[in-house]
Amino acid sequence: MSETPSPQAVEALLPEIAELIVDALNLDLAPADIEPDAPLFGDGLGLDSIDVLEIALVVGKRYGCQLKSDNEDNVRIFASLRALATYIAARRSQ
Amino acid sequence: MNSVPLLAGTDPAAVFAWRPDGPVSVGDYLAEARVLAARLPAGDFVLNLCHDRYRFAVGFAAGLLAGKTSLQPASQSAETLRRLHGAYPGLFALCDGPDDTLDLPRFDFPALFSARAGGENDTAAVDGKKAPKTEFAVPRIAADHLAAILFTSGSTGLPQAQPKRWGKLVANGRAEAEQLGLLDRPHALVGTVPVQHSYGFESTLLLALHGGCAFWAGKPFFPQDIVGALAAVPRPRLLVTTPFHLSTLLAAGLDLPPVDMLLSATAPLSAALADEAEARTGAPLREIYGATESGQLASRRTTAGEAWTPLPGIRLDQDGEQTIASGGHVEGRVALADRIELLPDGRFLLRGRQADLVNIAGKRTSLAYLNHQLAAIPGVVDGAFLLPDEAGPDGITRLAAFVVAPGLTPRQIGAALRERVDAIFLPRPLVIVDRLPRNSTGKLPRGELLALYAAHCADKIADGRR
């Protein structure tokens, strides 16, 4: 399927995706406060399915890749900021 | 005893549902339900947690055949599971995924034999298809059998059980199909809403059982998933969705496969979104108005005007500000939470909701319930939720909460709340305060909370961009 992105490419994406999330969801924290490997759902950042759709929308517009949830994939994609950045880095078209 | 068939169809070869590997026939569906009914554990109550709409449907029918009742709570929080476990002896969960059911007994859905890649059980499905039509018999269920209990969060703070008898559920599905014109022209249904909640239950499962429609087994989530699901079923297609899912779908700007009807419920849709949806798809957008307590009550074509037309048999009476629904498939007489203006021609207008009720992305609760849950957290001295003024008609406005809890952090309170309420109601922000601005009678005026909220937002802007 998609090529595995380099760790550097993923690392470089982290701050801008963190900012995208904070802006899109109007979160009460600074982008740098999102730990790259902490869960975005549940006990971590506490995001829910509405947030996931909001993020999917801004990611689609910014990076030109549509998120798909075949086999409940979004649990994996949204496991952490780094997981989301890895997914986007592998599929972005812009 | 008065009985009603499990489903209205009389052709075993008709399509009941669409799965990624192809259609499932009515005959296979019934055969699968019979097999599962014989295997279900003892116990009168089933918590059917299946994510797959078809598996849910098999589980639901199996429960009916075995004389059981399907429990359908508004949330699956740990607190809800514990409460149901205590209140319904013999309850077990029917699961098709890795859901955590805590200490509730669970029964994992067995492999489907109607699946194309079914392996050793394939012959069962083939035999079923070869069976002559004369042997095909749709089971009948007693009309007064307690088929399901749906739950709402009442304003007193505890979930309220809404019993649904089989005959009334059938009548609801039938009335909706008639009102939407589906009896003459059955559609393939693609639902973005969970089948357990009242709207999804009525508008996908009941429309399949008694409205002649066939549903897509998945619950597409992202816009790209919805496009894929629509493309996977034949026309005419009906998208069963909500204002939030619909606005997200349109905003994604994807090429949509042809759709023949759009259905929305859970919250009123704006005229602007309805116009855009119809312009983009060429399909009429119909809205359903209803409540878990009453079932579905009315529909409207949003672009044709604000007024709602009651479903066949539904009667609305008024007693002062209060409107009571009865007749048709309504169980008894149900007081509605909305303020309603009846029109001389029998239609009506919605004039807002009682102030205490909260509806976020179609999930409903009350501020009283949320405040009760907040106050029940050890270490919380006082606390109040606030629904700020809404940003836009089709957007999502989040709750805020102000909490007096010396020694607790917002994160600890958030974690405790997550155990008790649906994630959608978690406050954002959750602000720790020294005391709440209660007046001399102990009441907490909304204006005071709004002022606290405004002050917090101003602080955040001042700090945040430093």
Side-chain angles (χ1 to χ4, degrees):
Chain A
M1 237 183 80
S2 310
E3 284 176 35
T4 308
S6 72
Q8 293 81 3
V10 172
E11 196 69 34
L13 264 180
L14 293 176
E16 70 183 63
I17 296 176
E19 190 169 345
L20 212 64
I21 292 175
V22 168
D23 283 351
L25 306 182
N26 196 18
L27 293 182
D28 209 9
L29 47 81
D33 292 344
I34 302 182
E35 295 163 31
D37 297 300
L40 292 174
F41 285 99
D43 294 336
L45 209 50
L47 302 191
D48 56 43
S49 63
I50 298 294
D51 296 322
V52 168
L53 270 187
E54 304 259 21
I55 294 172
L57 200 58
V58 293
V59 162
K61 293 213 181 300
R62 174 81 163 264
Y63 301 106
C65 62
Q66 291 294 335
L67 294 164
K68 289 178 72 173
S69 64
D70 301 337
N71 307 317
E72 305 294 318
D73 228 10
N74 54 324
V75 172
R76 186 174 56 75
I77 300 168
F78 287 89
S80 66
L81 180 61
R82 196 183 302 282
L84 180 61
T86 305
Y87 184 90
I88 293 169
R91 286 164 183 81
R92 63 187 293 181
S93 64
Q94 66 196 43
Chain B
M1 189 190 291
N2 196 6
S3 69
V4 185
L6 178 60
L7 49 81
T10 52
D11 177 6
V15 175
F16 178 75
W18 295 91
R19 298 181 54 79
D21 55 4
V24 182
S25 70
V26 165
D28 281 355
Y29 169 61
L30 289 178
E32 217 140 42
R34 285 194 179 97
V35 169
L36 183 62
R39 289 198 207 169
L40 286 178
D44 293 336
F45 299 98
V46 187
L47 182 65
N48 189 336
L49 297 178
C50 290
H51 295 274
D52 179 280
R53 210 173 290 274
Y54 177 69
R55 288 201 185 89
F56 179 92
V58 172
F60 183 77
L64 287 180
L65 293 173
K68 300 181 195 297
T69 299
S70 169
L71 299 193
Q72 296 170 218
S75 98
Q76 285 153 21
S77 67
E79 169 73 10
T80 303
L81 293 185
R82 276 193 285 268
R83 195 198 313 276
L84 292 178
H85 194 184
Y88 296 90
L91 177 65
F92 64 91
L94 176 63
C95 300
D96 69 348
D99 302 84
D100 183 2
T101 60
L102 304 176
D103 53 356
L104 195 62
R106 62 182 284 154
F107 179 78
D108 286 299
F109 202 101
L112 289 170
F113 68 72
S114 66
R116 288 289 181 276
E120 81 266 28
N121 285 326
D122 260 2
T123 45
V126 172
D127 288 348
K129 285 202 184 77
K130 283 180 183 165
K133 283 185 183 179
T134 49
E135 288 181 20
F136 175 75
V138 177
R140 298 183 72 90
I141 309 294
D144 64 358
H145 173 64
L146 182 57
I149 301 177
L150 275 64
F151 291 84
T152 55
S153 52
S155 53
T156 54
L158 292 175
Q160 307 281 307
Q162 310 294 338
K164 304 287 178 186
R165 285 173 293 154
W166 176 239
K168 296 286 190 183
L169 288 178
V170 170
N172 187 341
R174 184 100 190 151
E176 182 184 11
E178 184 181 338
Q179 182 104 341
L180 299 178
L182 300 173
L183 292 176
D184 300 328
R185 191 168 182 242
H187 284 51
L189 311 171
V190 171
T192 66
V193 287
V195 64
Q196 284 88 352
H197 293 183
S198 51
Y199 168 49
F201 182 64
E202 293 151 350
S203 295
T204 59
L205 182 59
L206 295 182
L207 281 184
L209 291 174
H210 284 274
C213 295
F215 58 76
W216 173 247
K219 185 181 66 181
F221 181 71
F222 294 117
Q224 187 72 57
D225 299 333
I226 298 174
V227 167
L230 286 170
V233 298
R235 295 182 70 181
R237 302 171 178 138
L238 164 53
L239 180 63
V240 179
T241 188
T242 70
F244 179 65
H245 288 132
L246 185 61
S247 67
T248 310
L249 175 65
L250 296 179
L254 302 173
D255 287 331
L256 297 176
V259 185
D260 302 276
M261 195 187 301
L262 302 167
L263 193 64
S264 177
T266 66
L269 194 81
S270 71
L273 180 57
D275 281 338
E276 189 194 349
E278 292 201 350
R280 283 276 302 280
T281 61
L285 185 146
R286 308 283 295 267
E287 277 185 276
I288 293 278
Y289 169 70
T292 305
E293 296 88 330
S294 61
Q296 300 181 321
L297 295 173
S299 73
R300 68 176 177 184
R301 170 108 183 248
T302 317
T303 54
E306 277 187 275
W308 297 86
T309 303
L311 262 53
I314 298 297
R315 192 188 148 85
L316 297 177
D317 298 297
Q318 288 189 317
D319 180 7
E321 286 277 281
Q322 187 68 258
T323 304
I324 316 278
S326 63
H329 54 268
V330 177
E331 296 270 5
R333 291 171 59 79
V334 175
L336 302 179
D338 296 278
R339 288 188 291 121
I340 282 174
E341 179 184 339
L342 295 179
L343 301 174
D345 63 3
R347 298 186 301 159
F348 65 89
L349 299 171
L350 287 182
R351 291 299 189 206
R353 204 176 302 127
Q354 288 172 2
D356 186 55
L357 294 183
V358 173
N359 181 340
I360 300 181
K363 293 208 173 184
R364 297 169 201 227
T365 187
S366 68
L367 292 174
Y369 175 75
L370 294 172
N371 290 340
H372 171 85
Q373 293 298 335
L374 181 58
I377 295 171
V380 169
V381 177
D382 197 3
F385 275 82
L386 167 73
L387 183 63
D389 293 329
E390 300 190 21
D394 305 309
I396 301 291
T397 303
R398 296 291 187 156
L399 292 156
F402 300 92
V403 188
V404 181
L408 290 183
T409 65
R411 190 162 224 168
Q412 288 169 321
I413 299 169
L417 267 179
R418 217 172 358 258
E419 287 263 301
R420 298 168 166 273
V421 306
D422 196 285
I424 202 95
F425 302 123
L426 292 177
R428 193 182 286 172
L430 190 158
V431 186
I432 300 285
V433 293
D434 293 333
R435 50 182 287 277
L436 290 177
R438 291 190 183 277
N439 66 18
S440 56
T441 60
K443 291 212 168 102
L444 204 47
R446 176 176 161 84
E448 295 286 341
L449 284 176
L450 278 174
L452 261 187
Y453 179 70
H456 172 80
C457 292
D459 283 354
K460 183 185 150 192
I461 290 165
D463 298 346
R465 308 296 175 194
R466 206 170 274 163

